[in-house]
Amino acid sequence: MAKVVGDIAVNIERCKGCEVCVGVCPQQVIGMSVEVNGKGYHYAGPVNDKCTGCENCALVCPDGCITVYRMKVEVEQ
Amino acid sequence: MEKTINKEQIRKPENLVYRRTPLLVDVPLSYCPGCGHGTAHRMIMEVIEEMGIQQDTIGIAPVGCSVLAYDFLDIDMQQAAHGRAPALATAIKRLWPDKFVFTYQGDGDLAAIGTAETIHACNRGEHFTMIFVNNGIYGMTGGQMAPTTLPHMRSSTSPYGRDVEIMGFPLKMTELITHLPGTYYVTRQSVHTPANVRKTKKAIRKAFENQKLKKGISFVEIVSNCNSGWKMNAVQANKWMEENMFPFYPLGDLKVDGQIVEKK
């Protein structure tokens, strides 16, 4: 059986910490960091491995700082 | 047993499914955190990238928050005087009928000082695309009341809410121009959820494709948030927009292929 796994890469210095991506993620993957970036914003980032690469977060990110990767992996039953 | 896949295995160029389009210049956008302008910019540039018309597109930057759009969009841009973007687009489109011309305007630009230019360009049936970002407020100058401000909505110049007896009613520009014979495609969209972003991209794509037909203006209104002007955070602003803006500015197509869409 094939399973889809994804990952997001956030451009930390471009993230303005608006948190719009957090609410649209169906898998609750995204959380805000405790640290701040160069401009003083708490930036977004993945907090678990449940990402399916659905692109929702990247579509709503106003600053376009999320890059999405997706691959299929074969899982043995 | 499930094998663990590390992030290096997923983050490979062949697995890339979404990235910021290279047609947006690689600089930080000057907008507030969570502002819909950034998403609207990206959707326009993705459409231009998909259509392969980067060399043939001329954009008109307005006055307002998006006045610096020419710094962000990697296409030929021209800056118009406040509200005069449709007039400038008319000139450009008539001189280069085969170029793709679009204006990008906010509500203070298109619906206030530029009302005459907007209505007359739509009435003449020019063949360019207008992108209208409506957030119901003058964002750049500090959240003053705009023609599109909702009744009883607070702004810095209507601190007790917009009193329609003194300040008049909000102007529904999109409904107004729908009934002009020069418009070919009129729609209202938003960019606050993934589904709406996808719909907006389709609408912008259709608006650009319509320029080849030369049958009139394609007008895309994008209802957007202004979290700084509304004094909320981005997530609250999007929720407030759904609850208050959308009942007054309902989303959907108003005119498709020259035919007014009847509301059921």
Side-chain angles (χ1 to χ4, degrees):
Chain A
M1 198 183 92
K3 188 185 156 200
V4 178
V5 291
D7 191 21
I8 56 167
V10 180
N11 187 341
I12 289 169
E13 283 305 312
R14 288 284 165 79
C15 179
K16 291 176 182 166
C18 67
E19 302 185 22
V20 173
C21 56
V22 176
V24 299
C25 180
Q27 306 287 330
Q28 283 86 41
V29 171
I30 305 175
M32 305 309 289
S33 68
V34 179
E35 304 87 53
V36 292
N37 63 13
K39 287 189 172 170
Y41 294 119
H42 296 279
Y43 50 87
V47 293
N48 57 41
D49 297 331
K50 291 182 187 164
C51 181
T52 57
C54 69
E55 305 176 26
N56 273 7
C57 52
L59 276 172
V60 295
C61 177
D63 294 274
C65 46
I66 301 179
T67 309
V68 185
Y69 299 90
R70 183 167 59 213
M71 69 184 282
K72 270 187 185 173
V73 285
E74 291 299 322
V75 181
E76 288 170 26
Q77 289 278 317
Chain B
M1 191 60 200
E2 198 175 311
K3 281 184 290 184
T4 50
I5 301 146
N6 61 30
K7 296 201 166 179
E8 282 69 37
Q9 285 173 295
I10 305 174
R11 288 187 192 183
K12 285 179 183 166
E14 64 265 26
N15 295 332
L16 181 74
V17 286
Y18 193 92
R19 88 277 185 253
R20 181 184 156 116
T21 171
L23 269 63
L24 275 174
V25 180
D26 194 18
V27 292
L29 299 174
S30 61
Y31 306 116
C32 304
C35 176
H37 269 306
T39 315
H41 280 9
R42 201 172 70 246
M43 287 306 119
I44 293 169
M45 296 323 279
E46 282 182 11
V47 166
I48 290 172
E49 183 185 19
E50 282 173 13
M51 290 173 75
I53 54 170
Q54 187 185 10
Q55 298 297 322
D56 300 316
T57 308
I58 302 169
I60 320 288
V63 172
C65 285
S66 48
V67 67
L68 294 172
Y70 48 74
D71 279 348
F72 309 135
L73 312 182
D74 194 6
I75 49 171
D76 289 331
M77 294 289 288
Q78 182 64 264
Q79 170 69 48
H82 201 356
R84 274 59 180 165
L88 187 54
T90 302
I92 292 172
K93 188 68 179 178
R94 287 187 178 192
L95 286 166
W96 284 292
D98 296 329
K99 297 278 187 195
F100 292 86
V101 180
F102 74 92
T103 69
Y104 185 96
Q105 297 173 271
D107 51 330
D109 191 78
L110 184 143
I113 193 168
T115 314
E117 280 78 6
T118 305
I119 288 179
H120 282 289
C122 291
N123 198 37
R124 287 193 307 267
E126 305 292 340
H127 307 307
F128 56 85
T129 299
M130 294 176 81
I131 314 282
F132 169 34
V133 180
N134 178 7
N135 55 16
I137 211 163
Y138 283 95
M140 184 178 110
T141 48
Q144 288 86 355
M145 190 180 72
T148 46
T149 301
L150 302 177
H152 313 298
M153 178 176 165
R154 290 182 186 195
S155 68
S156 59
T157 48
S158 58
Y160 304 108
R162 180 178 186 153
D163 183 353
V164 292
E165 286 186 11
I166 301 169
M167 302 157 186
F169 293 92
L171 184 59
K172 290 186 176 183
M173 207 64 191
T174 309
E175 273 83 354
L176 198 67
I177 61 136
T178 302
H179 298 283
L180 299 177
T183 51
Y184 189 65
Y185 176 53
V186 182
T187 185
R188 184 185 280 125
Q189 304 293 341
S190 83
V191 288
H192 70 298
T193 63
N196 287 97
V197 172
R198 288 194 173 94
K199 279 186 200 165
T200 306
K201 188 174 171 184
K202 270 187 197 159
I204 295 173
R205 172 89 190 216
K206 187 172 168 61
F208 273 84
E209 300 273 4
N210 283 347
Q211 290 199 29
K212 295 177 188 164
L213 305 174
K214 298 200 190 314
K215 284 190 175 170
I217 290 239
S218 296
F219 190 98
V220 181
E221 173 179 349
I222 300 171
V223 182
S224 180
N225 59 359
C226 178
N227 39 44
S228 298
W230 297 351
K231 312 278 185 280
M232 300 173 192
N233 69 33
V235 178
Q236 287 170 337
N238 283 340
K239 194 162 175 281
W240 191 91
M241 180 169 74
E242 276 183 7
E243 289 168 359
N244 297 282
M245 295 281 276
F246 292 171
F248 196 81
Y249 299 112
L251 304 185
D253 293 337
L254 284 97
K255 196 174 191 180
V256 179
D257 299 342
Q259 300 295 317
I260 293 175
V261 177
E262 297 295 333
K263 286 274 183 289
K264 283 163 195 165

